[in-house]
């Protein structure tokens, strides 16, 4: 018997860093258990170069990545999501669509590394810290036995993961 492949969407405002990190991390940590997507409520036209640098340095394949608008996932032929994660406070506070299938949602808000100021090294550090914070949330999510947990238990686990400290 084949196991269900879950659809997961990571949302932030620009879809240039945080949600892209989430997409890559879950895809690489969980393998083929998930179909992973990311989108922005106000997607940028291109991915942030510092984000791409962090992904490449951590061995992720960046060739399939592109900035996507949330509207792409609101079309009639879009995949039905099982999980939706907002990874920035602004996207969490915006009007998000009612999702078909009533996915389980969680807010894993992180500061926007794109807004980091300072030297090039300080900006790079902001991206590395954001990547590490998301990895610290995605790793326990990917380890959950989704078939053994009911909806309420899954939501409780995701809410607990959202409290993970943002340290590398």
């Amino acid at each position: 018997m084949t196991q269900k492949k879950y659809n997961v969407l990571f949302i932030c405002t620009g879809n240039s860093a945080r949600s892209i990190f989430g997409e890559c991390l879950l895809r690489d940590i969980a393998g083929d258990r998930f179909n992973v997507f990311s989108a922005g409520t106000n997607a940028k036209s291109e991915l942030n170069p510092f984000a791409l640098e962090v992904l490449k340095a951590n061995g992720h394949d960046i060739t399939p990545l592109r900035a996507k608008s949330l509207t792409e996932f609101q079309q009639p032929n879009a995949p039905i999501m099982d999980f939706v994660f907002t990874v920035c406070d602004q996207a969490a506070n915006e009007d998000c669509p009612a999702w078909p299938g009533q996915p389980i949602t969680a807010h894993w808000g992180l500061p926007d590394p794109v807004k980091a100021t300072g030297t090039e090294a300080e900006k790079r550090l902001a991206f590395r810290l954001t990547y590490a914070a998301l990895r610290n949330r995605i790793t326990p999510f990917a380890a959950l036995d989704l078939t053994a947990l009911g909806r309420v238990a899954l939501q409780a686990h995701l809410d607990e993961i959202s409290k993970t400290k943002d340290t590398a």
Side-chain angles (χ1 to χ4, degrees):
M1 181 184 289
T2 58
Q3 193 174 41
K4 176 182 176 169
K5 196 166 183 178
Y6 296 92
N7 292 327
V8 178
L9 178 63
F10 290 93
I11 302 171
C12 69
T13 305
N15 192 222
S16 69
R18 291 167 290 184
S19 55
I20 292 291
F21 285 165
E23 179 180 350
C24 283
L25 281 161
L26 184 57
R27 186 175 292 126
D28 288 357
I29 290 170
D32 63 355
R33 290 180 55 214
F34 298 95
N35 295 309
V36 190
F37 309 94
S38 66
T41 57
N42 187 21
K44 304 295 182 199
S45 59
E46 55 189 55
L47 304 178
N48 186 283
F50 287 123
L52 294 175
E53 181 181 297
V54 168
L55 291 169
K56 282 192 253 183
N58 284 283
H60 298 282
D61 178 11
I62 63 166
T63 53
L65 299 177
R66 64 182 176 82
K68 298 166 289 301
S69 173
L70 189 58
T71 59
E72 189 172 315
F73 297 93
Q74 296 170 307
Q75 303 304 313
N77 61 343
I80 294 179
M81 296 301 154
D82 297 295
F83 297 92
V84 175
F85 298 101
T86 52
V87 291
C88 73
D89 293 334
Q90 187 172 342
N93 292 326
E94 291 177 0
D95 285 335
C96 284
W99 296 100
Q102 300 179 330
I104 297 173
T105 62
H107 176 60
W108 292 349
L110 295 167
D112 188 354
V114 173
K115 294 182 180 177
T117 59
T119 66
E120 293 289 302
E122 290 168 325
K123 291 176 185 177
R124 281 185 172 86
L125 177 61
F127 281 86
R128 287 193 306 267
L129 291 173
T130 300
Y131 174 90
L134 275 167
R135 185 186 61 227
N136 290 343
R137 288 176 169 93
I138 290 169
T139 300
F141 169 66
L144 291 173
D145 182 354
L146 302 178
T147 59
L149 296 170
R151 187 174 179 86
V152 172
L154 276 172
Q155 186 68 63
H157 281 289
L158 297 182
D159 292 344
E160 192 59 33
I161 289 170
S162 73
K163 299 174 189 173
T164 302
K165 297 291 181 204
D166 296 335
T167 56

